[in-house]
């Protein structure tokens, strides 16, 4: 049922949840579907977030046409807030639906009793493991994975029963004793893992790896992106101990036949290991724990090329700071090569590793002295793990690349210096506005190629100004003057706004030259400069950082944004004559904008950013004819936004086309053509009906 009503191809547990909610809507007055964002911090340096789908699932469900969102009760019950805040959330969400009302005291007492009961049950579970585990003779198995998969009889394909029928005791990871176990050997990995369940899985794996007669069985779900990362680290831990393991992937089919044979084979393997293995071995954790470069000194630095205009400016800033920097180069061949290392992760991760290897080889540089700069992230999607996972890919590549360094840096370049951070803001501003100028002129140019030539020339001039620390104003005067001389024709074209994944939007190689494709088929692309995009989302992130206690981060970024936006005016005046637009106010309430899609300001990441961007793009361009969402394969945020596409269309009156670039070949952009030829949604539907008849 869930698969039939879901608006995107989610993992199996999320599809199952769709079905549960739809079923309950036919039976209950209200359905309790709370927000789970993050477990409260036990250690300051470690974040334990729930996965991206989990964070957004109440919002996704509330946007389904078949669901009455007013009947969903969705308070925040898991975040960095105190228990008192959680009780307030529960009280506010319940008091309005109970005719007789309810007191805050009752809610508070109920929460405390439930928490106490949970703690007692957790202690009891651990005692069962302690009493029942056979440490000397028989095999013991621990099932590791997400509780909503393994503990659900409708999802676990009777795997626990299969072990029981084979006279093997199967425990769940919650039953293990974490408190009295030393995880210092893998502490670096646990520091980098930002997901709650993934961290618990790897802790349980480590316990199983160094516990006699205990063997782990990893049960994952089809399309679970976090598990695609976690499984690799699971394997590394077990292989470091030279101990066998089993990985089973579940889908929506309920047959257990295919699992029985694999489980029987695994038990034979476990028995052989138990009989012949020796515990005397030295474990090397060097390849398991993250290994990042602490700085950029004396290295050849390679910067990601998600936008070849802004990227050149950022590399020039690094050079002006005394670093030997290169902009990575990407080709169709590097994209094909990157699929070799993909085991379910989002494509940009593998593309970064592949283009790094290609660029180092092209310039005949020493891989051991080469460093890949990767953006730092704290949001719930996979980006946080990019640096560590890319390092793993480079180790497997060998040929010297096992010695290459990876650096996790701020996209703002604030970790370099305040001056670099300010210059980076202007790099994003100039790059975005230059692209915007090109998109406004190129579709109407009389002599084809003039606009692209002007952009290439302007990019070179502005890059030189950043690199040589010369006047930016003089550079802009020289760089932008040729655009005013380009002869254009007057005609009406449908306007198209592109949003979605950062690596897809402006990367002409991976998005199959999307902007030019739209222009060749009669459209005009409306782009959003990064500097404006930052202002669209800034207030939401500032509020979130305040709630998370990141006061230094908040103050430094807020100060930089204020200073640069004041300085921006003296540079924008050179772009203004070419753009012919009014200044936009970005102070609209984020609570109201996000609330229309069931989101909270505690949300973060691309899905939230997309909604804010759509709001402000329409505010600036009410004549937008089409939204195009661009996504890589296996991208959680893209799936969430895709699931909201129908609600976006309903709220804005503008069609949404979702394009996923999976590198399988074929022109993915062709799906846009009907929307450009018949720009109004009603006209498209009418035309399709006429063709059908």
């Amino acid at each position: 049922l869930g698969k039939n009503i879901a608006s995107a191809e989610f993992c199996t547990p999320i599809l199952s949840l769709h079905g549960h909610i739809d079923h309950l809507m036919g039976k209950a007055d209200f359905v309790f579907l709370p927000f789970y964002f993050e477990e409260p911090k036990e250690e300051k340096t470690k974040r334990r977030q729930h996965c991206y789908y989990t964070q957004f699932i109440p919002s996704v469900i509330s946007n389904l046409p078949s669901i009455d969102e007013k009947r969903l009760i969705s308070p925040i019950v898991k975040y960095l807030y105190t228990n008192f805040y959680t009780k307030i959330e529960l009280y506010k969400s319940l008091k309005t639906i109970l005719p007789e009302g309810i007191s805050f005291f009752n809610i508070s007492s109920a929460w405390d009793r439930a928490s106490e009961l949970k703690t007692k049950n957790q202690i009891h579970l651990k005692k069962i493991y302690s009493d029942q585990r056979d440490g000397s003779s028989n095999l013991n198995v621990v099932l590791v994975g997400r509780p909503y998969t393994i503990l659900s009889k409708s999802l676990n394909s009777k795997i626990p029963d299969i072990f029981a029928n084979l006279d093997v005791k199967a425990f769940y990871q919650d039953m293990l004793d974490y408190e009295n176990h030393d995880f210092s050997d893998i502490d670096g990995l646990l520091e980098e893992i930002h997901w709650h369940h993934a961290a618990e899985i790897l802790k349980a794996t480590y316990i199983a790896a160094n516990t006699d007669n205990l063997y782990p069985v990893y049960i994952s779900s089809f399309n679970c992106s976090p598990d695609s990362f976690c499984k690799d680290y699971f394997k590394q831990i077990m292989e470091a101990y030279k101990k066998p393991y089993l990985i089973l992937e579940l889908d929506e089919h309920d047959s257990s036949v295919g699992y029985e044979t694999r489980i029987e084979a695994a038990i034979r393997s476990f028995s052989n290991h138990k009989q012949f293995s020796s515990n005397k071995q030295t474990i090397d954790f060097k390849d398991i724990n993250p290994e990042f470069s602490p700085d950029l000194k004396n290295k050849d630095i390679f910067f990601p090329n998600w936008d070849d205009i802004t990227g050149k400016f950022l590399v020039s800033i690094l050079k002006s700071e005394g670093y030997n920097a290169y902009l990575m180069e990407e080709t169709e061949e590097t994209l094909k090569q990157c699929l070799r290392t993909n085991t379910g992760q989002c494509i940009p991760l593998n593309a970064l590793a592949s283009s790094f290897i290609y660029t180092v080889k092209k310039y005949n540089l020493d891989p051991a002295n080469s460093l890949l700069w990767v953006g730092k992230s704290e949001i719930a999607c996979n980006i946080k793990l990019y640096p560590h996972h890319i390092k793993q890919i480079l180790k497997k590549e060998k040929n010297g690349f096992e010695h290459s360094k990876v650096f996790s840096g701020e996209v703002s370049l604030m970790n370099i210096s305040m001056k670099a951070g300010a210059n980076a803001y202007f790099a994003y501003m100039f790059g975005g506005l230059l692209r915007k100028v090109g998109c406004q002129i190129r579709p109407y140019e009389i002599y084809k190629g003039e606009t692209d030539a002007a952009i290439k020339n302007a990019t070179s001039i502005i890059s030189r100004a950043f690199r040589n620390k010369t006047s930016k104003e003089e550079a802009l005067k020289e760089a932008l003057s040729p655009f005013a001389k380009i002869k254009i024709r007057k005609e009406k074209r449908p306007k198209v706004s592109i949003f979605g994944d950062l690596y897809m939007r402006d990367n002409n190689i991976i998005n199959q030259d999307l902007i030019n494709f739209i222009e060749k088929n009669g459209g005009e692309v409306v782009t959003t400069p990064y500097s404006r995009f930052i202002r669209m989302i800034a207030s939401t992130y500032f509020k979130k950082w305040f709630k998370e206690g990141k006061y230094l981060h908040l103050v430094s970024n807020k100060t930089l944004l204020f200073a640069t936006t004041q300085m921006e005016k003296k540079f924008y005046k050179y772009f203004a004559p070419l753009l012919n637009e009014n200044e936009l106010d970005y102070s609209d309430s984020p609570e109201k904008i996000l609330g229309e899609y069931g989101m909270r300001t505690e949300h973060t990441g691309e899905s939230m950013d997309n909604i804010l961007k759509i709001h402000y793009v329409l505010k600036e361009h009410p004549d937008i004819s089409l939204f195009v969402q661009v996504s890589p394969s296996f991208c959680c945020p893209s799936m969430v936004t895709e699931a909201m596409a129908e609600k976006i269309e309903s709220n804005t009156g503008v069609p949404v086309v979702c394009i996923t670039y999976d590198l399988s070949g074929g022109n993915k952009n062709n799906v846009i053509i009907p929307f450009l030829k018949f720009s109004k949604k009603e006209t498209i539907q009418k035309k399709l009906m006429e063709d059908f008849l």
Side-chain angles (χ1 to χ4, degrees):
L1 178 62
K3 195 169 185 179
N4 291 335
I5 66 169
S7 303
E9 295 183 19
F10 294 112
C11 62
T12 302
I14 294 297
L15 293 177
S16 174
L17 182 59
H18 277 71
H20 280 292
I21 300 300
D22 191 68
H23 171 74
L24 289 168
M25 280 288 178
K27 291 181 173 292
D29 296 315
F30 297 93
V31 177
F32 187 70
L33 183 62
F35 282 104
Y36 278 66
F37 287 107
E38 184 167 357
E39 296 294 313
K41 285 186 178 182
E42 294 181 4
E43 301 174 64
K44 287 185 178 181
T45 57
K46 293 185 178 73
R47 297 197 71 165
R48 293 293 174 252
Q49 301 184 65
H50 288 275
C51 79
Y52 201 91
Y53 286 165
T54 301
Q55 290 195 359
F56 278 90
I57 195 59
S59 309
V60 169
I61 296 288
S62 72
N63 283 290
L64 289 173
S66 60
I67 298 294
D68 180 1
E69 60 183 295
K70 293 178 181 177
R71 292 168 58 200
L72 290 177
I73 306 169
S74 298
I76 296 175
V77 300
K78 288 290 183 182
Y79 191 48
L80 301 177
Y81 300 136
T82 63
N83 281 344
F84 180 76
Y85 184 91
T86 304
K87 293 172 181 179
I88 291 287
E89 280 275 302
L90 289 166
Y91 173 66
K92 284 162 54 179
S93 63
L94 292 173
K95 70 173 184 177
T96 56
I97 67 169
L98 296 173
E100 70 280 8
I102 191 168
S103 73
F104 176 76
F105 175 78
N106 287 341
I107 290 288
S108 179
S109 299
W111 175 270
D112 292 338
R113 289 197 305 273
S115 299
E116 183 181 351
L117 178 62
K118 181 183 178 184
T119 300
K120 286 181 179 178
N121 284 337
Q122 287 173 326
I123 294 170
H124 181 59
L125 282 172
K126 295 180 191 303
K127 188 174 187 306
I128 291 175
Y129 170 74
S130 177
D131 293 344
Q132 294 292 325
R133 188 178 81 83
D134 193 330
S136 57
S137 56
N138 295 326
L139 290 173
N140 300 278
V141 163
V142 58
L143 306 178
V144 302
R146 297 161 193 281
Y148 45 78
T149 299
I150 298 178
L151 304 182
S152 167
K153 290 184 179 180
S154 63
L155 287 180
N156 68 22
S157 295
K158 301 178 182 178
I159 288 171
D161 296 330
I162 296 173
F163 282 102
N165 293 335
L166 295 170
D167 200 27
V168 174
K169 290 180 180 177
F171 302 93
Y172 181 55
Q173 64 188 40
D174 280 358
M175 306 172 83
L176 303 181
D177 182 8
Y178 295 90
E179 288 74 20
N180 296 309
H181 212 94
D182 181 11
F183 297 102
S184 56
D185 286 337
I186 60 167
D187 202 51
L189 176 61
L190 294 175
E191 188 108 4
E192 209 60 27
I193 295 290
H194 58 302
W195 293 306
H196 168 62
H197 289 307
E200 296 302 298
I201 289 167
L202 294 177
K203 283 182 181 179
T205 303
Y206 180 75
I207 292 174
N210 55 48
T211 301
D212 291 341
N213 299 343
L214 185 62
Y215 296 87
V217 176
Y218 193 142
I219 301 177
S220 70
S221 302
F222 179 69
N223 263 3
C224 177
S225 188
D227 274 355
S228 70
F229 288 83
C230 199
K231 281 188 288 189
D232 281 1
Y233 310 139
F234 168 86
K235 292 177 184 176
Q236 287 180 347
I237 292 171
M238 296 308 299
E239 288 165 3
Y241 279 89
K242 298 181 175 59
K243 196 170 182 179
Y245 56 86
L246 176 62
I247 297 177
L248 299 172
E249 184 174 83
L250 303 173
D251 55 27
E252 69 271 16
H253 305 295
D254 59 1
S255 173
S256 61
V257 176
Y259 300 113
E260 291 177 0
T261 306
R262 295 189 61 197
I263 289 172
E264 289 171 356
I267 291 173
R268 287 195 295 271
S269 176
F270 298 161
S271 298
N272 289 336
H273 176 269
K274 177 180 175 297
Q275 185 176 355
F276 298 109
S277 68
S278 169
N279 290 329
K280 295 180 180 179
Q281 54 182 317
T282 302
I283 311 300
D284 183 5
F285 295 96
K286 185 178 67 174
D287 289 338
I288 294 174
N289 288 309
E291 181 189 341
F292 302 139
S293 178
D295 55 51
L296 305 171
K297 292 178 181 177
N298 304 317
K299 297 291 182 184
D300 295 320
I301 301 164
F302 291 81
F303 201 85
N305 190 0
W306 68 77
D307 172 353
D308 61 355
I309 299 175
T310 304
K312 288 184 175 73
F313 297 162
L314 293 169
V315 165
S316 293
I317 292 168
L318 288 173
K319 288 180 177 179
S320 74
E321 294 281 333
Y323 299 105
N324 190 31
Y326 297 81
L327 184 63
M328 291 199 303
E329 298 178 26
E330 200 160 58
T331 67
E332 291 184 6
E333 187 59 32
T334 65
L335 292 178
K336 290 177 184 175
Q337 290 291 324
C338 86
L339 291 177
R340 294 186 298 110
T341 60
N342 186 281
T343 56
Q345 300 81 26
C346 33
I347 293 292
L349 180 152
N350 309 90
L352 284 171
S354 184
S355 58
F356 171 73
I357 293 167
Y358 169 81
T359 312
V360 171
K361 287 180 177 178
K362 178 178 176 178
Y363 289 100
N364 197 28
L365 295 169
D366 179 10
N369 197 55
S370 300
L371 178 148
L372 171 59
W373 186 99
V374 183
K376 185 182 293 184
S377 172
E378 292 293 335
I379 62 177
C381 84
N382 305 326
I383 299 176
K384 163 78 172 172
L385 281 170
Y386 273 29
H388 177 48
H389 211 79
I390 289 173
K391 179 63 180 175
Q392 301 301 308
I393 292 172
L394 297 177
K395 286 178 180 177
K396 292 174 184 176
E397 177 70 19
K398 297 183 178 178
N399 299 315
F401 284 98
E402 66 271 28
H403 303 300
S404 298
K405 304 297 182 184
V406 177
F407 179 80
S408 181
E410 301 284 351
V411 177
S412 64
L413 300 190
M414 284 281 285
N415 57 296
I416 305 295
S417 69
M418 282 292 287
K419 184 178 179 182
N423 277 327
Y425 179 88
F426 295 122
Y428 288 117
M429 175 191 172
F430 298 167
L433 288 174
L434 193 55
R435 187 177 294 278
K436 189 176 182 71
V437 167
C439 288
Q440 284 196 12
I441 296 176
R442 187 171 45 243
Y444 308 102
E445 64 184 5
I446 292 174
Y447 302 107
K448 291 298 177 187
E450 279 191 326
T451 307
D452 285 339
I455 290 174
K456 184 177 180 180
N457 178 61
T459 302
S460 177
I461 293 169
I462 297 170
S463 294
R464 191 162 58 245
F466 277 120
R467 185 172 60 252
N468 298 334
K469 302 179 182 179
T470 55
S471 169
K472 297 181 185 65
E473 287 191 84
E474 292 301 320
L476 289 176
K477 285 179 190 177
E478 181 185 355
L480 298 177
S481 61
F483 289 96
K485 300 173 185 176
I486 297 174
K487 296 185 182 301
I488 59 174
R489 66 174 66 87
K490 291 184 179 181
E491 62 180 72
K492 183 76 172 174
R493 285 179 172 235
K495 290 182 178 179
V496 180
S497 175
I498 301 170
F499 66 89
D501 184 78
L502 170 70
Y503 203 80
M504 303 284 125
R505 293 197 303 260
D506 299 317
N507 185 323
N508 296 332
I509 304 297
I510 202 165
N511 71 19
Q512 300 180 335
D513 207 6
L514 176 60
I515 290 177
N516 271 315
F517 182 87
I518 292 171
E519 292 173 354
K520 287 176 181 176
N521 285 279
E524 176 193 330
V525 175
V526 172
T527 64
T528 303
Y530 298 107
S531 54
R532 294 186 183 177
F533 179 62
I534 290 168
R535 286 156 68 185
M536 291 175 184
I537 65 175
S539 65
T540 311
Y541 280 91
F542 289 160
K543 289 177 182 178
K544 183 175 176 63
W545 291 338
F546 181 81
K547 291 171 184 174
E548 293 179 356
K550 295 182 176 178
Y551 304 123
L552 183 61
H553 196 64
L554 169 64
V555 171
S556 60
N557 280 275
K558 203 167 186 177
T559 303
L560 178 64
L561 181 61
F562 177 78
T564 47
T565 49
Q566 295 304 306
M567 294 169 61
E568 184 179 315
K569 295 173 183 176
K570 75 172 184 178
F571 296 126
Y572 181 75
K573 65 185 179 185
Y574 298 103
F575 291 94
L578 301 170
L579 293 172
N580 189 28
E581 59 186 9
N582 298 319
E583 188 173 350
L584 197 63
D585 176 24
Y586 297 101
S587 63
D588 294 355
S589 167
E591 288 85 357
K592 184 177 179 181
I593 299 167
L594 298 173
E596 292 184 21
Y597 298 89
M599 292 187 193
R600 303 283 297 258
T601 52
E602 285 80 4
H603 279 113
T604 189
E606 180 192 306
S607 302
M608 182 197 75
D609 299 348
N610 287 340
I611 297 301
L612 293 171
K613 180 177 179 179
I614 287 168
H615 170 82
Y616 284 111
V617 166
L618 272 176
K619 186 176 179 180
E620 184 178 10
H621 301 278
D623 56 344
I624 288 285
S625 298
L626 178 66
F627 285 118
V628 176
Q629 181 198 354
V630 291
S631 316
S633 298
F634 314 118
C635 177
C636 303
S638 299
M639 285 289 112
V640 169
T641 307
E642 185 177 330
M644 296 181 177
E646 189 170 347
K647 185 66 172 287
I648 294 170
E649 290 184 352
S650 174
N651 285 357
T652 65
V654 179
V656 179
V657 175
C658 301
I659 305 176
T660 300
Y661 298 99
D662 57 7
L663 310 184
S664 62
N667 193 331
K668 306 294 182 184
N669 298 332
N670 282 335
V671 68
I672 302 174
I673 293 177
F675 292 87
L676 295 175
K677 302 301 180 184
F678 312 99
S679 57
K680 292 294 183 183
K681 186 177 180 183
E682 295 78 9
T683 310
I684 296 169
Q685 292 171 338
K686 183 179 178 182
K687 174 63 178 173
L688 291 174
M689 182 58 70
E690 288 173 353
D691 290 346
F692 174 75
L693 293 174

